[in-house]
């Protein structure tokens, strides 16, 4: 469903949240030439994000993927802030905070208050209803989903999510932004999981259920899917990369929407999250990363 709206100029991009996805999207946008204002809640996470960006770009220089001048220019374009008010002049703001509807809805109320009229407000949610965030604002036509994948600098796809309130102009502007970031874009409607996660999460969830049922070991489940389906990662490695807390939130949202047993989170997944084993980001998930 190609849209026909006019594209609004986007120069300055706001990113809210400096976790896995916020940091990745900030890097992608800065490398693509956008001015980026990244908002973290604390100065220490803002500083950690900038340090991570410096390391990532330095590695890319070592590998000959970017020149030293490009590295320096990309860094120059990123400002890390803690005050949401600093997003006032952004043309497009993409939130990438925790996958929790109440938290995201509250953020959209705030973004609507601080962002200039006409700015596009976007969510990187994996599953949550975009329309509910849109309706928190006085500009539901200017709200859409811009769903990057993890790791954002490497994964080619972006899903552009059209809520029933989203205007053609907003979809066109979000699409132009994602394309300028060098991404392949698909248009999807605002339904839990969109395309990729609606198909991927029953698979990841069932891998955890197989592990819990003792059908095979962790390593054998991953080896089976790599060797049997030619997938680059096994499902348990992948769920560790996504984050177990985020995965549980995604499955809860999918189950809430469809009531399909394939989406009902595996009890072991919930227990792992209770034990704060979130995967790579916390150092321990199905695998141990603490060495
Ligand atoms: N991890 C993935 O593979 C992936 C892929 C695509 C999209 N997403 C989506 O991106 C978003 C962020 O996921 P992530 O993987 O970066 O998670 P993460 O856990 O790495 O980061 C979450 C961020 O949210 C912030 N946060 C937590 N509670 C908050 C609150 N109450 N108010 C404001 N900020 C708060 C945290 O400080 C952190 O910066 C989610 O909507 C998720 O569904 C994740």
């Amino acid at each position: 469903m190609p849209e026909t709206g006019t594209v609004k100029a986007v120069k300055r991009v706001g990113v809210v949240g400096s976790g896995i996805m916020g940091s990745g999207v900030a890097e992608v946008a800065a490398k693509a030439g956008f001015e980026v204002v990244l908002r973290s809640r604390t100065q220490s996470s803002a500083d950690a994000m900038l340090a991570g960006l410096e390391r990532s770009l330095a590695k890319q220089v070592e590998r000959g993927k970017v020149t030293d001048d490009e590295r320096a220019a990309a860094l120059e374009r990123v400002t890390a802030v803690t005050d949401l008010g600093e997003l006032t002049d952004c043309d497009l703001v993409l939130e990438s905070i925790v996958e929790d509807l109440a938290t995201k809805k509250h953020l959209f109320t705030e973004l609507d208050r601080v962002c200039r009229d006409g700015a596009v407000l976007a969510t990187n949610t994996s599953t949550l209803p975009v329309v509910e965030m849109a309706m928190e604002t006085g500009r539901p036509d200017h709200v859409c989903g811009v769903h990057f994948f993890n790791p954002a600098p490497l994964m080619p796809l972006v899903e552009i999510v059209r809520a029933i309130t989203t205007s053609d102009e907003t979809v066109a502007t979000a699409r132009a932004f994602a394309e300028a970031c060098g991404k392949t874009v698909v248009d999807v409607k605002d339904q839990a999981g969109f395309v990729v996660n609606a198909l991927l999460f029953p698979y990841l969830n069932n891998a955890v259920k197989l592990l819990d049922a003792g059908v095979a070991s962790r390593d054998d489940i991953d080896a089976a899917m790599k060797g049997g389906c030619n997938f680059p990662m096994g499902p348990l490695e992948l769920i560790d990369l996504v984050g177990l807390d985020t995965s549980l939130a995604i499955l809860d949202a999918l189950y809430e929407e469809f009531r399909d047993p394939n989406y009902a989170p595996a009890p072991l997944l919930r227990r792992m999250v209770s034990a704060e084993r979130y995967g790579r980001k916390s150092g321990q998930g199905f695998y141990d990363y603490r060495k």
Side-chain angles (χ1 to χ4, degrees):
M1 45 174 167
E3 83 305 311
T4 51
T6 320
V7 174
K8 291 208 231 181
V10 173
K11 287 195 177 135
R12 198 170 165 84
V13 173
V15 177
V16 185
S18 55
I20 302 175
M21 292 309 291
S23 311
V25 170
E27 175 177 332
V28 169
K31 278 172 68 184
F34 293 98
E35 286 169 41
V36 177
V37 185
L38 184 113
R39 192 268 181 167
S40 297
R41 284 177 301 169
T42 62
Q43 195 55 49
S44 61
S45 54
D47 293 344
M49 189 287 300
L50 281 178
L53 178 61
E54 281 183 29
R55 277 196 305 277
S56 170
L57 289 168
K59 249 189 231 162
Q60 292 168 50
V61 173
E62 271 169 35
R63 292 185 191 141
K65 305 252 186 218
V66 297
T67 67
D68 200 45
D69 286 351
E70 287 165 342
R71 178 196 63 81
L75 276 177
E76 188 99 325
R77 285 192 281 268
V78 181
T79 318
V81 302
T82 53
D83 177 7
L84 209 61
E86 304 268 355
L87 302 175
T88 305
D89 295 333
C90 291
D91 306 304
L92 182 150
V93 175
L94 177 60
E95 74 74 22
S96 252
I97 67 165
V98 63
E99 186 76 342
D100 175 73
L101 187 56
T103 310
K104 286 192 192 286
K105 281 168 77 167
H106 177 69
L107 176 62
F108 271 83
T109 312
E110 294 287 290
L111 288 176
D112 189 39
R113 189 173 54 76
V114 301
C115 293
R116 68 162 179 77
D117 283 350
V120 169
L121 306 181
T123 172
N124 198 10
T125 182
S126 303
T127 33
L128 298 170
V130 177
V131 68
E132 292 205 28
M133 295 173 230
M135 293 306 286
E136 292 297 310
T137 73
R139 56 178 106 184
D141 55 328
H142 281 67
V143 177
C144 67
V146 176
H147 185 213
F148 281 83
F149 289 80
N150 180 16
L154 296 183
M155 298 300 278
L157 186 69
V158 169
E159 292 175 321
I160 300 292
V161 187
R162 179 194 285 266
I164 48 179
T165 49
T166 310
S167 69
D168 287 349
E169 190 180 54
T170 297
V171 171
T173 304
R175 170 181 265 276
F177 162 67
E179 286 175 346
C181 288
K183 300 302 183 188
T184 304
V185 173
V186 294
D187 293 304
V188 297
K189 77 170 183 179
D190 181 20
Q191 177 179 289
F194 317 125
V195 171
V196 174
N197 287 336
L199 295 173
L200 176 65
F201 269 84
Y203 158 67
L204 297 181
N205 194 34
N206 281 312
V208 179
K209 289 180 185 170
L210 285 183
L211 177 69
D212 204 17
V215 172
S217 68
R218 172 198 74 183
D219 290 353
D220 282 355
I221 290 171
D222 279 349
M225 294 313 291
K226 286 191 274 194
C229 294
N230 212 16
F231 289 172
M233 297 177 90
L236 300 168
E237 290 173 295
L238 181 54
I239 206 164
D240 269 4
L241 176 72
V242 171
L244 272 61
D245 52 341
T246 303
S247 298
L248 179 60
I250 289 171
L251 283 161
D252 277 334
L254 284 162
Y255 187 68
E256 166 81 18
E257 183 125 315
F258 300 113
R259 302 285 162 184
D260 176 335
N262 281 304
Y263 293 131
L268 176 60
L269 180 61
R270 209 177 279 288
R271 296 296 180 276
M272 298 276 286
V273 172
S274 299
E276 299 180 0
R277 295 187 184 181
Y278 300 143
R280 283 194 195 195
K281 65 182 169 188
S282 69
Q284 210 181 354
F286 291 103
Y287 291 81
D288 195 337
Y289 305 90
R290 294 168 299 173
K291 291 140 222 157

